[in-house]
């Protein structure tokens, strides 16, 4: 702006008849040229070798967000999918000869909020589960979902905010993890939990590092909530499931218990006509 004002004054003096030295005109031209060159350089594209100043989170795809670093608890059951807040990923399972799918979720230490749905056919969702963990690194999710020996799709939706991404893997379950759901009823006695809000809880010794939970019915619907507590009513992890068949889609989850005084509390939120049995034990 200062250079433009100087140019206007010079033109005005020239038209009024005042003599202007040639040296002053040359200096003014050089100054204006330098000003325009600097302005153009500010809008020029960035050089290839110059580091960017914005956060590089990659491009959408399978490796989206890989520049932020790998998951602290990477799973080896399948390809990892980074799911940002308010986004979703789907996993296809077309093999009708296999029935059990393992789903693992973790984060880099931030809370996890997610919805898991089982899709069979174009418009049938026989199982849904809402999950929460206050720390996805210390308390990740590991569960088994039954596909009923059909071509199925599992959707994992991150219901948290954009700043709370999660890392998820899903693949057909393999031994020995695939056998745990069927072996647990033979090892511990199941607690009969009536419908209508009945509660059953189990407290674990501080030396226990992992606990396994199995909820199943006698072909009737299963609608229950599981809470992992670290103090009275201080829940660290929750699961809420609904399925129309508590045998084909029974709830089986494995949770970490890194701190002392961990209690697993299950609540039957279905009507009185839909009880279930709860099998809870250390791994």
């Amino acid at each position: 702006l200062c250079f433009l004002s100087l140019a206007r004054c010079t033109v005005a003096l020239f038209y009024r008849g005042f003599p202007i030295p040639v040296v002053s005109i040359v200096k003014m031209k050089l100054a204006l040229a330098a000003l325009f060159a600097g302005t153009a350089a500010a809008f020029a594209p960035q050089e290839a070798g110059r580091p960017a100043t914005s956060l590089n989170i990659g491009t959408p795809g399978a490796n989206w967000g890989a520049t932020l670093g790998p998951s602290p608890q990477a799973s080896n059951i399948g390809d990892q999918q980074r799911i940002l807040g308010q986004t979703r990923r789907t996993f296809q399972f077309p093999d009708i000869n296999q029935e059990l799918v393992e789903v693992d979720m973790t984060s880099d230490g931030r809370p996890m909020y997610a919805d898991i749905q089982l899709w069979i056919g174009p418009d049938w969702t026989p199982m849904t589960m809402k999950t929460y963990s206050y720390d996805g690194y210390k308390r990740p999710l590991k569960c088994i979902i039954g596909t009923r020996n059909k071509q199925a799709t599992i959707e994992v939706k991150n219901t948290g905010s954009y700043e709370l991404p999660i890392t998820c893997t899903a693949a057909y379950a393999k031994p020995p993890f695939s056998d745990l759901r069927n072996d647990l009823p033979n090892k511990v006695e199941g607690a009969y939990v009536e419908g209508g809000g009945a509660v059953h809880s189990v407290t674990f010794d501080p030396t226990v590092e992992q606990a396994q939970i199995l909820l199943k019915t006698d072909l009737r619907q299963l609608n229950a909530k599981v809470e992992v507590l670290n103090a009275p009513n201080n829940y660290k992890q929750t699961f809420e499931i609904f399925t129309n068949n508590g045998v084909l889609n029974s709830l089986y989850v494995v949770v970490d218990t890194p701190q002392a005084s961990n209690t697993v509390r299950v609540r039957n939120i279905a009507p009185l006509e839909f009880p279930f049995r709860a099998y809870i034990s250390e791994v």
Side-chain angles (χ1 to χ4, degrees):
L1 294 177
C2 295
F3 287 111
L4 293 177
S5 301
L6 178 61
R8 290 177 180 175
C9 294
T10 304
V11 173
L13 293 174
F14 176 79
Y15 280 107
R16 292 181 180 179
F18 291 95
I20 303 175
V22 177
V23 177
S24 300
I25 296 177
V26 173
K27 290 183 178 180
M28 182 185 68
K29 289 182 178 180
L30 293 175
L32 290 175
L35 174 65
F36 292 142
T39 305
F43 294 94
Q46 192 176 38
E47 297 178 4
R50 185 179 300 174
T53 57
S54 59
L55 178 62
N56 181 18
I57 62 172
T59 56
N63 295 324
W64 195 7
T67 54
L68 299 181
S71 171
Q73 293 189 359
S75 174
N76 57 2
I77 67 168
D79 295 333
Q80 296 184 23
Q81 295 288 335
R82 187 177 179 86
I83 309 176
L84 299 180
Q86 300 301 316
T87 63
R88 66 188 67 193
R89 291 289 186 272
T90 56
F91 303 86
Q92 308 293 330
F93 299 95
D95 191 354
I96 62 174
N97 296 318
Q98 300 191 62
E99 195 263 337
L100 299 180
V101 172
E102 177 183 349
V103 179
D104 295 357
M105 285 194 302
T106 183
S107 73
D108 56 359
R110 286 175 282 187
M112 290 195 310
Y113 300 86
D115 286 354
I116 302 175
Q117 294 187 359
L118 173 66
W119 298 347
I120 298 178
D123 57 356
W124 186 30
T125 307
M127 192 278 295
T128 62
M129 182 170 65
K130 298 180 180 180
T131 68
Y132 161 77
S133 175
Y134 91 106
D135 187 335
Y137 182 84
K138 294 181 179 180
R139 297 178 183 267
L141 166 69
K142 182 185 289 288
C143 67
I144 284 183
I145 297 176
T147 62
R148 308 190 181 195
N149 292 106
K150 299 181 183 296
Q151 296 182 357
T153 299
I154 291 180
E155 180 213 43
V156 179
K157 180 181 179 182
N158 187 343
T159 58
S161 61
Y162 183 84
E163 297 82 5
L164 303 177
I166 62 177
T167 301
C168 180
T169 56
Y172 284 111
K174 300 178 181 179
F177 188 69
S178 59
D179 300 330
L180 294 178
R181 189 183 75 165
N182 297 328
D183 295 342
L184 184 58
N186 300 325
K187 295 180 180 179
V188 297
E189 183 179 358
Y192 186 81
V193 184
E194 287 281 2
V199 176
H200 173 68
S201 61
V202 175
T203 301
F204 291 96
D205 189 83
T207 59
V208 176
E209 297 181 354
Q210 284 186 321
Q212 53 184 340
I213 306 159
L214 172 63
L215 306 182
K216 62 185 303 183
T217 66
D218 53 355
L219 296 178
R220 284 179 281 186
Q221 76 174 32
L222 172 64
N223 192 4
K225 186 173 184 179
V226 179
E227 298 172 327
V228 181
L229 309 175
N230 188 242
N233 293 323
N234 180 18
Y235 56 87
K236 300 296 186 180
Q237 206 165 0
T238 63
F239 311 93
E240 184 174 337
I241 183 174
F242 173 81
T243 177
N244 68 335
N245 191 320
V247 174
L248 299 179
N249 287 115
S250 57
L251 173 66
Y252 179 80
V253 295
V254 175
V255 297
D256 289 3
T257 56
Q259 298 169 317
S261 183
N262 286 278
T263 300
V264 174
R265 181 173 64 188
V266 297
R267 185 189 306 273
N268 192 339
I269 56 179
L272 185 64
E273 298 82 8
F274 300 99
F276 64 79
R277 288 195 174 272
Y279 303 86
I280 305 174
S281 171
E282 63 180 276
V283 176

